[in-house]
């Protein structure tokens, strides 16, 4: 901050002038594009439209070395995009092309716009589909300090974003290594071998059984009428409702399943997905619930084994599995002591992977907040009027 103060004192002792965005940038809309266009013309150029991530990749480009965009419509209206090199700018993305690079640094403008997203969103209209009018956007006012000041601010803020990317890459690599290690040991622990007509798992003889022989199979029903969807549980509505995915569908004041169980998604793109669910929950449609009939089979062992194999579905336009399909799945059942040993080992790996994943999110969020804090400090100039001219005279 002291370095920035020195530069401001040197280059603009009377204050930092600000200008409207339309004075310093050319704002233009991209070209019409659709998912069908992308599917029919696949290529290497990213399509930047209404979201921060590419809509897809196409075989042509309409933008080169003009990285800043602003989402014009939809839920993400006012979001700032950055895409270097050649890409295709869609019709839901405004360009923010600098008119004079000797006046304004492109990366400085990016940080300014990111810092001004709330102000940009306030310029949008929200009657029906949220929309950002070009003429309103052009009136956004931004500080224009001299280039040396801009470049020093960019140098500081880019270090934060670079560190965030490096940290994310390191933690992602660590997470991927642990996932591969987990998958390796799971495969080693749960792959039976045949020796002279007998099957063994880690040296322990196993007996193959169909799920229908050793488990009770339930099919989920309609969502309970007395329930709250997607809410935090209360003292009354505390029993989770599970559907086809990993997320909790909602909560209810009663339950259908009172034992630990394995659930299998049974229709749609998620068919065959396996989840472990602790006791006291209610399954709804598109879900099969598998519960061991007796204590000789652990639900957690069943979960780990089913997660390690490919559970196929019926070949149809919509993938699906019925109760009979689930009942026919065969599993190896070792002695209970071996099941417990396997579960203990895989639970430790599972916890390690989850801890790293949670740590990854927490670390990235901490770096992001640090960047936002210093971005706000560096870019928050106080406006004053000098000779009827609005200027920014200092960093707050």
């Amino acid at each position: 901050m002291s370095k920035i103060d020195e530069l401001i004192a040197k280059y603009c002792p009377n204050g930092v002038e600000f200008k409207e965005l339309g004075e310093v940038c050319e704002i233009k809309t991209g070209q019409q594009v659709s998912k069908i266009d992308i599917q029919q013309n696949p290529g290497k150029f990213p399509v930047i439209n209404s979201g921060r991530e590419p809509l897809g990749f196409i075989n042509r480009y309409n933008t080169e070395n003009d990285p800043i965009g602003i989402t014009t419509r939809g839920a993400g209206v006012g979001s700032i995009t950055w895409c270097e090199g050649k890409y295709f700018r869609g019709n839901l993305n405004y360009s923010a092309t600098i008119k004079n690079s000797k006046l304004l640094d492109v990366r400085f403008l990016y940080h300014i716009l990111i810092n001004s997203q709330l102000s940009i969103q306030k310029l949008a209209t929200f009657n029906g589909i949220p929309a950002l009018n070009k003429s309103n956007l052009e009136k956004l006012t931004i500080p224009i300090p001299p280039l040396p000041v801009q470049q020093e601010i960019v140098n500081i803020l880019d270090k934060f974003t670079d560190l965030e990317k490096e940290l994310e890459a390191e933690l992602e690599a660590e997470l991927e290594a642990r996932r591969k290690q987990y998958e390796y040991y799971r495969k080693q622990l749960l792959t039976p071998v045949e020796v002279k007509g007998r099957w063994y798992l880690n040296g322990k003889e196993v007996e193959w059984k169909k799920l229908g022989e050793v488990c009770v199979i339930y099919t989920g029903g309609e969502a309970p009428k007395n329930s709250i969807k997607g809410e935090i549980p209360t003292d009354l509505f505390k029993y989770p409702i599970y559907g086809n995915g990993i997320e909790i569908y909602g909560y209810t004041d009663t339950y259908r399943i009172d034992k630990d169980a394995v659930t299998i998604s049974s229709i749609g793109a998620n068919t065959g997905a396996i989840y472990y669910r602790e006791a006291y929950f209610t399954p709804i449609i598109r879900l099969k619930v598998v519960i061991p009939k007796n204590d000789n089979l652990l639900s957690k062992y069943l979960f780990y084994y089913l997660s390690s194999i490919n559970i196929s579905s019926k070949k149809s336009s919509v993938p699906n599995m019925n109760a009979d399909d689930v009942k026919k799945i065969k599993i190896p059942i070792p002695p209970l002591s071996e099941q417990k040993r396997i579960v203990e080992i895989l639970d430790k790996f599972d916890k390690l992977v989850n801890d790293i994943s949670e740590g990854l999110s927490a670390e990235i969020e901490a770096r992001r907040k640090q960047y936002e804090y210093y971005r706000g400090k560096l870019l928050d100039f106080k406006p004053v009027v000098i000779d009827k001219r609005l200027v920014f005279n200092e960093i707050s």
Side-chain angles (χ1 to χ4, degrees):
M1 298 298 292
S2 59
K3 178 69 178 294
I4 300 298
D5 290 337
E6 290 175 11
L7 289 171
I8 288 177
K10 177 180 178 181
Y11 289 100
C12 44
N14 294 324
V16 177
E17 189 174 6
F18 86 98
K19 293 180 180 292
E20 291 185 352
L21 191 61
E23 292 182 69
V24 294
C25 289
E26 184 177 4
I27 309 298
K28 294 192 300 184
T29 305
Q31 296 175 315
Q32 181 74 37
V33 68
S34 68
K35 289 184 178 180
I36 294 177
D37 292 332
I38 298 169
Q39 291 171 357
Q40 293 178 345
N41 302 281
K44 65 179 182 178
F45 302 108
V47 177
I48 304 300
N49 208 28
S50 62
R52 288 190 176 91
E53 298 300 320
L55 183 62
F57 293 83
I58 204 165
N59 62 355
R60 62 187 185 276
Y61 66 92
N62 60 10
T63 305
E64 182 175 6
N65 298 326
D66 191 9
I68 297 177
I70 303 170
T71 301
T72 68
R73 286 171 67 85
V77 67
S79 296
I80 311 303
T81 60
W82 176 274
C83 188
E84 297 177 350
K86 299 175 181 179
Y87 65 95
F88 189 98
R89 189 190 302 280
N91 60 304
L92 300 180
N93 194 273
Y94 284 137
S95 66
T97 308
I98 293 172
K99 294 178 180 179
N100 184 355
S101 60
K102 293 181 180 180
L103 176 69
L104 185 57
D105 179 276
V106 66
R107 192 66 184 169
F108 176 80
L109 175 61
Y110 171 74
H111 288 298
I112 279 285
L113 293 177
I114 286 285
N115 200 53
S116 304
Q117 277 191 117
L118 289 178
S119 298
I120 294 172
Q121 288 165 357
K122 288 178 181 178
L123 298 173
T125 59
F126 291 88
N127 298 324
I129 299 175
L132 180 61
N133 186 279
K134 174 186 172 183
S135 61
N136 289 338
L137 178 61
E138 288 174 333
K139 294 175 183 177
L140 178 74
T141 56
I142 62 171
I144 310 289
L147 273 180
V149 178
Q150 295 181 37
Q151 290 164 352
E152 182 61 24
I153 289 174
V154 167
N155 182 46
I156 294 169
L157 294 179
D158 276 356
K159 283 181 179 178
F160 282 110
T161 56
D162 289 344
L163 284 171
E164 180 185 324
K165 291 176 183 177
E166 290 174 11
L167 176 66
E168 185 173 1
E170 290 174 4
L171 292 175
E172 285 284 6
E174 175 71 11
L175 181 59
E176 182 60 23
R178 291 293 174 262
R179 280 178 179 151
K180 288 182 177 179
Q181 188 180 36
Y182 166 73
E183 290 169 3
Y184 170 81
Y185 280 104
R186 186 180 66 181
K187 183 177 180 181
Q188 292 294 312
L189 288 166
L190 294 172
T191 302
V193 295
E194 185 181 12
V195 180
K196 296 181 179 180
R198 292 187 175 185
W199 287 88
Y200 296 86
L201 194 62
N202 310 314
K204 307 293 184 181
E205 189 169 3
V206 300
E207 185 177 8
W208 286 93
K209 291 287 186 179
K210 293 180 180 179
L211 285 184
E213 298 178 76
V214 293
C215 295
V216 179
I217 315 295
Y218 294 96
T219 299
E222 295 295 328
K225 292 182 179 179
N226 196 20
S227 62
I228 50 178
K229 187 175 180 179
E231 299 285 342
I232 297 173
T234 64
D235 290 340
L236 180 61
F237 292 86
K238 61 182 179 181
Y239 301 108
I241 303 168
Y242 293 115
N244 210 30
I246 190 170
E247 298 84 6
I248 293 176
Y249 178 85
Y251 293 89
T252 184
D253 58 351
T254 186
Y255 54 85
R256 182 180 171 191
I257 306 299
D258 61 357
K259 295 181 175 62
D260 294 348
V262 174
T263 64
I264 304 175
S265 300
S266 61
I267 191 169
N270 208 33
T271 297
I274 309 294
Y275 303 108
Y276 179 76
R277 307 298 193 187
E278 294 183 347
Y280 307 109
F281 67 92
T282 293
I284 57 175
I285 54 175
R286 300 189 171 194
L287 201 64
K288 296 292 183 288
V289 182
V290 184
I291 302 175
K293 291 180 178 178
N294 57 55
D295 295 338
N296 293 328
L297 176 61
L298 298 178
S299 292
K300 201 63 173 292
Y301 167 79
L302 177 61
F303 162 73
Y304 281 127
Y305 181 76
L306 292 178
S307 299
S308 72
I309 63 175
N310 179 33
I311 297 179
S312 60
S313 61
K314 288 183 177 178
K315 303 295 183 181
S316 64
S317 58
V318 179
N320 67 93
M321 298 179 71
N322 59 35
D324 287 338
D325 297 325
V326 176
K327 289 177 182 178
K328 292 175 184 177
I329 297 171
K330 288 186 176 181
I331 62 168
I333 302 179
L336 191 60
S337 59
E338 182 61 15
Q339 293 180 46
K340 290 179 179 179
R341 189 182 77 89
I342 291 171
V343 167
E344 286 177 2
I345 294 172
L346 294 181
D347 273 353
K348 289 178 181 178
F349 274 108
D350 189 58
K351 184 178 184 304
L352 177 62
V353 171
N354 287 332
D355 286 349
I356 293 174
S357 182
E358 291 172 6
L360 170 64
S361 299
E363 284 289 339
I364 292 172
E365 182 62 22
R367 293 294 177 269
R368 196 161 292 152
K369 286 182 178 179
Q370 191 178 37
Y371 160 72
E372 290 172 358
Y373 171 80
Y374 282 102
R375 184 188 67 201
K377 283 286 187 183
L378 290 165
L379 299 177
D380 186 15
F381 296 92
K382 292 180 179 178
V384 297
V385 176
I386 299 177
D387 298 330
K388 297 182 180 180
R389 189 166 55 92
L390 188 61
V391 301
F392 293 91
N393 71 332
E394 62 180 46
I395 294 177
S396 62

